[in-house]
Amino acid sequence: MTKQSDRTGPGDPSPPEQSQGGWSTDGLAYLQKQTVRQRVFVVHPFVRDTAHNPLARSPEARLDEAIGLAAAIDIDLVGGEPVPLRAIKPSTYLGAGKLDELKAFAKADEIDLIIFDCDLSPIQQRNLERALKVKVIDRTALILEIFGDRASTKEGELQVELAHLNYQRSRLVRSWTHLERQRGGSGFLGGPGETQIEADRRIIADRITRIRRQLEAVTRTRTLHRARRQKAPYPVVALVGYTNAGKSTLFNRLTEADVLAEDMLFATLDPTMRSIMLPSGRKIIMSDTVGFISDLPTTLVAAFRATLEEVLEADLIVHVRDASHPDTDIQKTDVEAVLADLGVELTDDLSGEGEATPVIEALNKYDLMPDEERSSLAAQAARSDAVMPLSGLTGEGCDTFIEMLDRILSSRNQELEILVPYSDGQTPAWLHANAKILDQIPADEGTRYRFSVDPIEWGKFSKNTDFGDG
């Protein structure tokens, strides 16, 4: 067992008292109600036979990521340990010997909470708490806790609460059934009242229904905003990537925004959009989104689908990768898996034709790489039109990246020539705002414009307009 810090002082509350059927306080609620820092230990259990899978992270890397997640909330992190298993025990996940060792360590170091970097069933969680005599939460609960702490908009808070309630509903083990309410009903046909667990389930179900209605209203508003942006034909470029890959830092560099950017997992939760002007004069909308992570809970993927609709509707996806991370290739696979779950089909065809969304890779944190690796990465980028090494922190490569975006989006343009009557003031204004004017020649009937424009956006604008062909 590793120990990284000492207890900050007396008075830390002990875990909740154990009820007849198990711990009576939900893990997340327990974390949220504490007003002092809890002493926390992280455990990453893994089956030995799967640890050598070349497509999987090493147990040490998985533990480091779990510790990084735990450090993102306000706790006193004691340390962590990878725990090899011959097989997963259905009742307690860990074997009896490891449980005894972990229990002794938790008691000696006054651990308040143990985080298991895996998915625990409700029964496994309850049995672990009984055996270890401390509060236990799993990876999903930890990520929900972080998301709850990061949400800064009403929509984000609703989405976190929805995911939390769906998770909590599955955790209602039968620990309250000895607390039946008084006999209910009217007339002669009364029956036993609700058990506490049934009441809890009903309350949670009612709350879930109300939140979904509120989110539907938010989604309608978002759809209206998206429709308004489509009328003002600006391509949407969405930044996606693994959590802590540097998306917000790059977003701030490219858009001169002030989005929170910290060396912390899930520093960004709520999406942010800014418009920027490309060198050709084309205006685009850039979107910064929540970071992805391996084994992202399905409840969170479903709850945040509305937030990630900007990715679904994007004209171009920029996959921001931490090129300096040893697991960068595995992180790429994880991100692509989450995008596939969302229904996003990716393509390396940058022409914009077809249903799939074009994707380019921004190999971020280029400044942190050794010279030899930097040279190799630069050579890789030279062979591809869809790869760009850069640093959102120092700005290295960012100007070239903007030029790449401009070149990719402009390559879809078509060159047109139209005669605009002098009485038409709308079309010249639209052309100057959304097209690249190549030439304009006054004529008797009006002005002849030759310009380069995105054919899709021109089609949206011109379908109800009758232009003379001169």
Side-chain angles (χ1 to χ4, degrees), residues 44-274:
H44 173 65
F46 65 96
V47 179
R48 288 192 181 96
D49 292 342
T50 63
H52 303 293
N53 183 351
L55 300 178
R57 291 179 180 81
S58 67
E60 292 74 21
R62 288 295 302 264
L63 176 64
D64 287 344
E65 181 177 273
I67 288 175
L69 286 170
I73 56 179
D74 189 22
I75 59 169
D76 180 7
L77 184 60
V78 175
E81 179 190 21
V83 178
L85 306 173
R86 289 192 181 91
I88 296 173
K89 191 171 182 180
S91 59
T92 55
Y93 210 98
L94 306 182
K98 192 61 192 179
L99 282 176
D100 291 340
E101 180 185 342
L102 196 55
K103 178 181 176 181
F105 170 77
K107 183 177 180 180
D109 270 41
E110 303 180 64
I111 302 299
D112 301 304
L113 173 71
I114 296 179
I115 297 172
F116 277 67
D117 183 38
C118 59
D119 287 327
L120 298 175
S121 71
I123 297 301
Q124 286 171 339
Q125 181 181 357
R126 182 187 64 179
N127 290 341
L128 282 168
E129 288 174 335
R130 285 175 167 174
L132 299 174
K133 305 301 181 186
V134 295
K135 194 63 216 164
V136 169
I137 65 172
D138 63 5
R139 180 183 176 88
T140 298
L142 175 60
I143 293 176
L144 283 169
E145 176 71 15
I146 297 169
F147 273 45
D149 188 51
R150 296 286 183 273
S152 59
T153 66
K154 183 62 177 176
E155 180 183 8
E157 292 170 357
L158 287 172
Q159 288 169 329
V160 169
E161 187 175 359
L162 177 61
H164 181 184
L165 289 170
N166 280 319
Y167 173 84
Q168 192 176 34
R169 180 165 56 177
S170 70
R171 303 279 127 176
L172 289 176
V173 294
R174 303 195 68 84
S175 59
W176 292 94
T177 52
H178 61 291
L179 297 175
E180 282 196 359
R181 295 183 176 180
Q182 292 182 344
R183 190 176 183 88
S186 59
F188 297 101
L189 299 176
E194 293 176 303
T195 61
Q196 183 64 49
I197 192 172
E198 289 168 346
D200 289 346
R201 283 174 175 158
R202 177 175 52 79
I203 291 169
I204 288 176
D206 290 345
R207 180 62 182 155
I208 286 174
T209 300
R210 288 196 298 271
I211 291 175
R212 282 178 174 160
R213 285 174 184 159
Q214 290 175 280
L215 282 174
E216 285 174 3
V218 173
T219 302
R220 284 194 297 271
T221 302
R222 185 184 294 277
T223 301
L224 291 173
H225 289 169
R226 185 179 299 111
R228 193 174 300 125
R229 285 197 303 272
Q230 288 174 344
K231 288 181 180 178
Y234 305 137
V236 175
V237 176
L239 303 184
V240 303
Y242 207 79
T243 183
N244 207 31
K247 293 182 301 301
S248 295
T249 301
L250 179 60
F251 181 81
N252 288 341
R253 171 72 63 174
L254 299 178
T255 66
E256 299 182 355
D258 56 355
V259 172
L260 174 66
E262 295 185 8
D263 185 15
M264 178 188 298
L265 299 181
F266 293 121
T268 300
L269 178 57
D270 297 295
T272 305
M273 307 191 78
R274 294 287 188 275

Side-chain angles (χ1 to χ4, degrees), residues 226 230 236 308-315:
R226 185 179 299 111
Q230 288 174 344
V236 175
L308 294 170
E309 280 178 357
E310 300 300 344
V311 178
L312 297 174
E313 298 292 334
D315 298 278

